[in-house]
Amino acid sequence: MGARGRKKGSDGEKSRKLMLQIAAEEFALNGFHDTKISNIVKRAGLTQPAFYLYFSSKDAIYQELIDQFTYKLEELVGISRLESNVTFDTLAERIGVGLGAIFTFFEQNEYLAKIAFIHSDNSSEIKEKLAAQIAENLRIEQRYSYFRSDVDVMIAAQLVISALERLSLAYLWTGEKTAKEITNETVQIILNGLIKKR
Amino acid sequence: MGARGRKKGSDGEKSRKLMLQIAAEEFALNGFHDTKISNIVKRAGLTQPAFYLYFSSKDAIYQELIDQFTYKLEELVGISRLESNVTFDTLAERIGVGLGAIFTFFEQNEYLAKIAFIHSDNSSEIKEKLAAQIAENLRIEQRYSYFRSDVDVMIAAQLVISALERLSLAYLWTGEKTAKEITNETVQIILNGLIKKR
């Protein structure tokens, strides 16, 4: 990406990042309509023209935040896909590493996650796209015989997405539980189910 | 509840129900702020004063819709609690009956569910309260040894709530799947987990 317009170099890039960071907080707390560019630049100690050096509009900075979030999330989902050589005994642990990285990302990026997953008009599409990617992982992992073949992977993927959203809202962003705690519980339930075997 | 004010009897009750029904659709589609009482009464073939015979304000009819929804939902969650005499072989089927009734309620009450679960400023509290009730069911069912004792019932309850919301949005209200199909898949995954046993 890099800074556009006149002001280039590391100072410009710093201003750009600062505005993105402040904008994320403003959008998440006040919503798109009640967020003012004037407030973002004021909090960043910059001027209105400085904003337009880096972003063409409020829409543009909003979209960039969503793109930043979904790009990184898709990367983490990609990394979380299990290889063909995972042993049965380490399966839960390996899934925990992948899911844990995603919960940690949500923990550390509360504002971005809220914008993309909850506030955005495109949040449904964002979640659908992510669900499709997770389902594709599960389909491949099913072929490696890690998962039961009678499971509808698309439904399972939707359950993962919804768990991410709900558990982040109820525990992560309230500070009640850590990403690690939530990950362990979620993996146990989704992997082994609730039933007590006879 | 019953009709208040002058206009009583079955005609009044019919007008009241009609306004509730239309209001649910308006609130769900346009949001609280963009819903106009004038539009509700117009669509109901009534006059503005007729509205105020039954509801004190826009806030009041909104809250009544949410109360209607949460009351019925709490009733269904109450009914879904398993007795102590369920056999292992019929466990999935019996859980399916309870969860199926809830998914069917969501299927048939899309507008109410969207208002209470998604649009309302109190949606977090509504979901938290419901999660606590489901967790209490699970705790009792855990004591009957249906479920593993090492499962965090509150996390499991949150997963059920989030599944209700996400699967309704992605499949029920798009008409892509029926309540019955979603119920069966959800019970299979939550009860038995994804893992393929060795």
Side-chain angles (χ1 to χ4, degrees):
Chain A
M1 281 176 275
R4 286 166 294 178
R6 285 171 298 139
K7 204 172 177 181
K8 290 189 177 159
S10 70
D11 267 13
E13 195 48 34
K14 231 160 87 182
S15 298
R16 195 172 182 283
K17 278 192 179 155
L18 183 61
M19 284 190 280
L20 279 166
Q21 193 189 319
I22 292 168
E25 185 178 339
E26 293 281 327
F27 286 131
L29 299 179
N30 308 321
F32 181 81
H33 293 291
D34 290 337
T35 292
K36 306 284 168 232
I37 292 176
S38 58
N39 204 38
I40 295 170
V41 294
K42 201 175 110 190
R43 286 189 52 195
L46 295 166
T47 57
Q48 199 105 350
F51 179 90
Y52 291 101
L53 279 179
Y54 305 106
F55 310 101
S56 59
S57 63
K58 191 166 85 168
D59 268 305
I61 193 170
Y62 190 78
Q63 192 54 48
E64 182 161 335
L65 289 168
I66 290 179
D67 290 346
Q68 210 179 75
F69 176 81
T70 53
Y71 181 84
K72 180 69 184 168
L73 191 50
E74 281 168 28
E75 196 179 61
L76 288 173
V77 171
I79 292 169
S80 77
R81 185 197 285 172
L82 300 171
E83 300 297 320
S84 62
N85 58 357
V86 180
T87 61
F88 185 75
D89 291 342
T90 59
L91 197 53
E93 188 192 326
R94 286 292 305 278
I95 293 170
V97 171
L99 189 64
I102 294 170
F103 268 124
T104 300
F105 177 61
F106 270 63
E107 189 176 40
Q108 293 170 346
N109 293 275
E110 173 179 347
Y111 298 138
L112 286 187
K114 280 184 174 168
I115 293 169
F117 256 49
I118 300 165
H119 299 306
S120 164
D121 286 342
N122 298 319
S123 62
S124 286
E125 286 78 7
I126 291 169
K127 284 184 248 187
E128 278 303 316
K129 199 177 160 202
L130 194 66
Q133 196 196 355
I134 293 174
E136 183 55 22
N137 279 4
L138 290 172
R139 204 168 283 123
I140 291 166
E141 292 159 347
Q142 218 174 25
R143 266 187 240 128
Y144 294 153
S145 290
Y146 300 140
F147 303 136
R148 291 188 288 127
S149 57
D150 60 338
V151 165
D152 182 324
V153 290
M154 196 59 201
I155 298 248
Q158 298 279 10
L159 295 181
V160 172
I161 298 290
S162 65
L164 270 174
E165 178 176 347
R166 181 100 282 274
L167 299 179
S168 295
L169 279 164
Y171 300 119
L172 276 191
W173 299 330
T174 58
E176 218 179 295
K177 288 182 196 286
T178 65
K180 198 181 155 85
E181 290 167 333
I182 290 176
T183 301
N184 289 342
E185 283 296 333
T186 307
V187 170
Q188 278 311 314
I189 294 174
I190 290 186
L191 210 54
N192 298 317
L194 298 181
I195 208 167
K196 186 168 170 178
K197 293 289 184 304
R198 299 295 152 95
Chain B
M1 283 175 274
R4 285 165 293 176
R6 287 170 299 141
K7 205 171 178 181
K8 290 193 177 155
S10 70
D11 267 13
E13 196 48 35
K14 230 159 88 182
S15 299
R16 195 172 181 283
K17 279 193 179 154
L18 183 61
M19 283 190 282
L20 278 165
Q21 192 189 319
I22 293 168
E25 184 178 341
E26 293 281 327
F27 285 132
L29 298 180
N30 308 322
F32 181 81
H33 293 290
D34 290 338
T35 292
K36 307 282 168 233
I37 292 176
S38 58
N39 204 38
I40 295 170
V41 295
K42 201 175 109 188
R43 285 189 52 196
L46 296 165
T47 58
Q48 198 104 349
F51 179 90
Y52 290 100
L53 279 180
Y54 303 106
F55 311 100
S56 59
S57 63
K58 191 166 84 167
D59 269 304
I61 193 170
Y62 190 77
Q63 192 54 49
E64 182 161 336
L65 290 169
I66 290 179
D67 291 345
Q68 210 181 74
F69 177 80
T70 53
Y71 181 85
K72 180 71 184 164
L73 191 51
E74 281 167 27
E75 195 178 62
L76 289 173
V77 171
I79 292 170
S80 78
R81 186 198 284 173
L82 300 172
E83 300 297 321
S84 61
N85 58 356
V86 180
T87 61
F88 185 76
D89 291 343
T90 59
L91 196 53
E93 187 191 327
R94 285 291 305 279
I95 292 170
V97 171
L99 188 65
I102 294 170
F103 267 124
T104 301
F105 177 61
F106 270 64
E107 188 176 42
Q108 292 169 348
N109 294 275
E110 174 179 347
Y111 298 138
L112 286 186
K114 279 184 175 169
I115 293 169
F117 255 50
I118 299 165
H119 299 307
S120 164
D121 285 343
N122 299 319
S123 63
S124 285
E125 287 78 7
I126 291 168
K127 284 183 249 187
E128 278 304 313
K129 198 178 161 201
L130 194 67
Q133 195 195 356
I134 292 174
E136 183 56 21
N137 278 5
L138 290 172
R139 206 168 283 123
I140 291 166
E141 291 159 348
Q142 220 174 25
R143 266 188 240 129
Y144 295 152
S145 291
Y146 301 140
F147 303 135
R148 291 188 287 129
S149 57
D150 61 338
V151 165
D152 182 324
V153 290
M154 196 59 201
I155 299 246
Q158 298 279 10
L159 295 181
V160 172
I161 299 289
S162 65
L164 269 175
E165 177 176 347
R166 181 101 281 275
L167 299 179
S168 295
L169 279 165
Y171 300 120
L172 275 190
W173 299 330
T174 56
E176 218 179 295
K177 288 182 195 284
T178 65
K180 198 182 156 84
E181 290 167 332
I182 290 175
T183 301
N184 289 343
E185 283 296 334
T186 307
V187 170
Q188 278 311 312
I189 293 174
I190 290 187
L191 210 54
N192 298 317
L194 298 181
I195 207 166
K196 186 169 171 179
K197 293 290 184 302
R198 299 297 151 92

